[in-house]
Amino acid sequence: MKFDYNKSLGQNFLKDNNIINKISDSINPKTDDLIIEIGPGSGALTKHLINKSADVICFEIDKRLESILSEIKADNLKIVFDDFLKINLKDYINSKYNRLFFVGNLPYYITTAIINKIINESNPYEITIMIQKEVALRFMASPHTREYSSISVFLQYNFDIEKICNVSKNCFEPIPKVDSMVIKLKRNKKIKSKNEELLYKLIKASFKQKRKNLKNNLNNYDLLKIESLLNNRNKTTKCRAEELSVDDFVYLADNL
Ligand code: SAM
């Protein structure tokens, strides 16, 4: 494809049909669901998404792609040329839709901002994203590993995370510096915390300084109470945040 790729917009277009098929095959909406694609680029994935029975809305920031994307004709497709981070998602999510399926080969520098926006402004059923491999490993990390961080706990509290496939950097044009991974975040049915506001604050504070223990990182909270709660779970405030499971954090938030 002859196109002047804009590096600052994270424009690395997927050219490997095998990967495109794998992503598409993993998305299975019904007629009354809505697919939202972020950054369709030249429409490699969009062309597959329109063959699903659901409506598809794409958000693409780069107006130069209009002539290419306008060649994709389908009654169930709407393409909005705007910055996904600036639009009001609620304006596009009609109550007639049952479940929301988000999908995107995301520009890496705004991966977290996009996920936060989706979670804050909608109730996603499923988010299928291609992201930098290292970041994907952090999202899926288990306790007691170097990669386990506040984002792992936050996402695993809300979603079951499944790896779809690894993607070599050679599958893109132009070739980026890093390898990627496609993962699916699926809203889980875990019992939710009675105090999510406190839960999120505790997660953030506990990982504030990764090398320090909970006693240091949670010194703004009632440490005696935290000690006794952690003892109930065979842990102490001398532990580091990476030793606590998602359930440990929920237990703390619900009982503090
Ligand atoms: N989906 C295409 C593919 O897989 O070949 C393109 C993926 S490319 C990594 C990222 C796309 O997101 C580009 O088309 C870029 O222009 C678009 N993009 C970047 N920032 C955006 C934003 N804030 N809102 C919407 N689209 C954005």
Side-chain angles (χ1 to χ4, degrees), residues 9-14 39-41 59-61 83-84 105 107 110:
L9 291 177
Q11 289 182 339
N12 301 98
F13 291 178
L14 201 45
F59 293 96
E60 173 53 62
I61 198 170
D83 182 343
F84 180 74
N105 168 9
I110 46 171

Side-chain angles (χ1 to χ4, degrees), residues 7-26:
K7 241 187 177 178
S8 68
L9 291 177
Q11 289 182 339
N12 301 98
F13 291 178
L14 201 45
K15 56 167 196 190
D16 185 309
N17 280 325
N18 186 26
I19 301 290
I20 296 169
N21 285 332
K22 268 193 189 157
I23 301 174
S24 170
D25 289 348
S26 82

Side-chain angles (χ1 to χ4, degrees), residues 225-242:
K225 179 84 182 162
I226 292 179
E227 181 69 43
S228 113
L229 290 172
L230 285 173
N231 290 168
N232 294 342
R233 307 198 47 101
N234 294 325
K235 308 222 158 94
T236 77
T237 51
K238 288 197 185 117
C239 293
R240 286 187 189 160
E242 69 199 37

Side-chain angles (χ1 to χ4, degrees), residues 213-224:
N213 61 22
L214 295 167
K215 205 173 190 163
N216 283 294
N217 282 337
L218 296 180
N219 58 7
N220 283 336
Y221 294 86
D222 180 348
L223 278 174
L224 278 178

